[in-house]
Amino acid sequence: MTAAPHSAPAAGLLTGRAKRLALAGLFLSMFVSMLAMNVVGTSMPIIIADIGGTQAAFTWVVTATMLASAISTPIWGKLADLTSKKVLLQVSLVVFTLGSALAGTAQEPSWLIAFRVLQGLGAGGLGVLGQIVLAEVVSPLERGKYMGIMGAIMAVATVGGPLLGGLITDTIGWRWNFYVAAPIAIIAIIMLQRTLHLQTIKRKIKIDYLGAILISLGFSSLLIWVTLGGSNFDWWSWQTAAMLGGGVLVLILAVIVEIRAEEPLIPLTLFKNRTFTLSVIASIAVGLAMFGTAVFLGQYMQLARGRTVIEASLLTLPMMGGVLISSTIVGQIITRTGKWKRYMVSGAVALLAGLFMMGQLRYDTSYWYVGVSMFIMGAGVGMTMQNLVLIVQNTVSPTQMGAASSGVTFFRTIGGTAGMSVMGAMLATQVAEYIKDGLTKLPPADLVGAEVLASGVLPKIADLPLPIRVVVEAAYGHGIGNVFLAASPVALVALIAIILLPNIPLSTQSNAEKIAALQAAEEQDPEALTHRSGSVTVLTDTTGPVVLPTRHGRSSSSNSPGAEH
């Protein structure tokens, strides 16, 4: 696609050194959130044990963050289509850092869960706004390279975070894990203020509060049911009927509200775009693999293999190595060749193979097998996760970039959250059964100290007598292997969805350039732009406002540059 000539709007486009500095601030803000989220990953079993939490509390400390992130993501995305992306990015940094700091003061599981919700609200903004801002500055073709850099940042933070967290936990205490991101966040906010100057499509802000409430209640009800079902109440019970039936009913109402809303939180018209719909389906599986493995691999290394926090972090390096290498190399190749589909199909195959291999884990599985399995699955995640957002951004209207990007991220996080809940519930049930069976096989003399397992609180492996320790390690090893195996069919669905994706060439225009092209078209034919983009006001951080004509008051993506037909 050839950019239309543009004059005044060009002052708001970032190029050269200004572009590089802005991207540096953007990547630093993303690094902050990823580091802070991962720094407590392998320390979480110790944290939960220290404040007296159960396996359900362990799952919900992670799930609550992911749920808050998922629910807030489309709100951040919608606001990004309506107002300043830079301000939103800075606000999300403040919210995230505040939630992290408060989490470090928690004295019992419920408070930790509550503060992690606040942390998740900020994380939802940082995750999607980073991708939206990148799309604003860099064209889809060039973006493949930067998506690879984002994957590399994620891998470094995911590797370095647990290592740093393990060191902090073993030296000055786990609470300092939650404070480590604050200085970096302050630097990121200042850098963004000084370097990030973007064009903003500013429209009347009208948030779909009812839709947000209904979507939150619906998904929360389903996730709570999955987490508590089978342990706090029977799967076939009135609680199941209330939570499952109520959740489905509320989500149906949410769909009705979204159809009628003037500014829907998740525009359902996006699902007419085949690329968007198939990417959403694939993202659910990728989210399950990414978030599930990050959490349960830490449990596997500590509870099934008896490793310390630092050792567990080091032993999960192959997973992040796979993400780092595949995302960086494939991102570079996509930018140079413009070809993306073959690499995403390969990634989906690797994801399926990795999950199946991880499904064979036991407490005494050879470490080389565990490492190879993690590397293959990491490579699958690296080749698919960021590129699913890339190809969606390549096909949607520039005025719906925020809603589309946040939609994919939302469903990926929901998939990861739902997967976490299902895997956590399955693990808790199976571990209890395996421990019960294992203890019945021990002689009475070896049962001394087994009473600590009766409360359901996560055990401290190093404090258990050897016979009981072997039983617990075997239970967690077998249970975690089973949950990975149960998740592998979801990766098959992702593979099918990626195979069916339309192989649309990547555009050579950034989102800002597409908007500039619309402005240039308006100067020549005002009626054409009104038909294509609705009423918008284009602002920049460095120039005065450029007011475009208003007619219908809403944007249309049907004929936008790069839209899929």
Side-chain angles (χ1 to χ4, degrees), residues 67-81:
L67 179 60
S69 174
I71 297 303
S72 65
T73 292
I75 298 176
W76 291 110
K78 173 56 69 173
L79 287 173
D81 283 336

Side-chain angles (χ1 to χ4, degrees), residues 85-134:
K85 299 172 180 64
K86 181 173 80 172
V87 171
L88 291 173
L89 192 58
Q90 291 172 312
V91 169
S92 64
L93 266 171
V94 172
V95 173
F96 179 84
T97 306
L98 178 63
S100 300
L102 290 173
T105 68
Q107 300 295 324
E108 50 104 17
S110 61
W111 281 108
L112 181 58
I113 292 170
F115 293 139
R116 291 276 285 177
V117 167
L118 183 61
Q119 192 180 26
L121 293 176
L126 290 172
V128 70
L129 290 170
Q131 295 169 338
I132 293 170
V133 170
L134 185 63

Side-chain angles (χ1 to χ4, degrees), residues 499-517:
I499 290 174
L500 295 176
L501 281 170
N503 195 5
I504 299 175
L506 297 177
S507 171
T508 57
Q509 286 184 308
S510 69
N511 205 55
E513 288 171 329
K514 291 179 181 179
I515 294 170

Side-chain angles (χ1 to χ4, degrees), residues 249-304:
L249 179 60
V250 170
L251 289 178
I252 292 174
L253 292 175
V255 170
I256 296 174
V257 168
E258 293 298 275
I259 291 175
R260 298 181 177 182
E262 182 178 347
E263 290 286 354
L265 196 65
I266 302 177
L268 298 182
T269 53
L270 286 172
F271 287 96
K272 295 179 180 179
N273 183 319
R274 183 180 168 192
T275 296
F276 177 83
T277 302
L278 291 172
S279 296
V280 162
I281 294 172
S283 292
I284 292 173
V286 173
L288 185 151
M290 185 62 197
F291 297 123
T293 52
V295 172
F296 291 108
L297 275 177
Q299 277 197 297
Y300 174 78
M301 293 302 178
Q302 293 179 65
L303 300 179

Side-chain angles (χ1 to χ4, degrees), residues 24-34 89 93 126 130 184-185 188-189 192:
L26 174 64
F27 289 145
L28 183 61
S29 69
M30 298 179 70
F31 177 74
V32 170
S33 65
M34 293 175 185
L89 192 58
L93 266 171
L126 290 172
I184 308 175
I189 291 172
L192 290 171

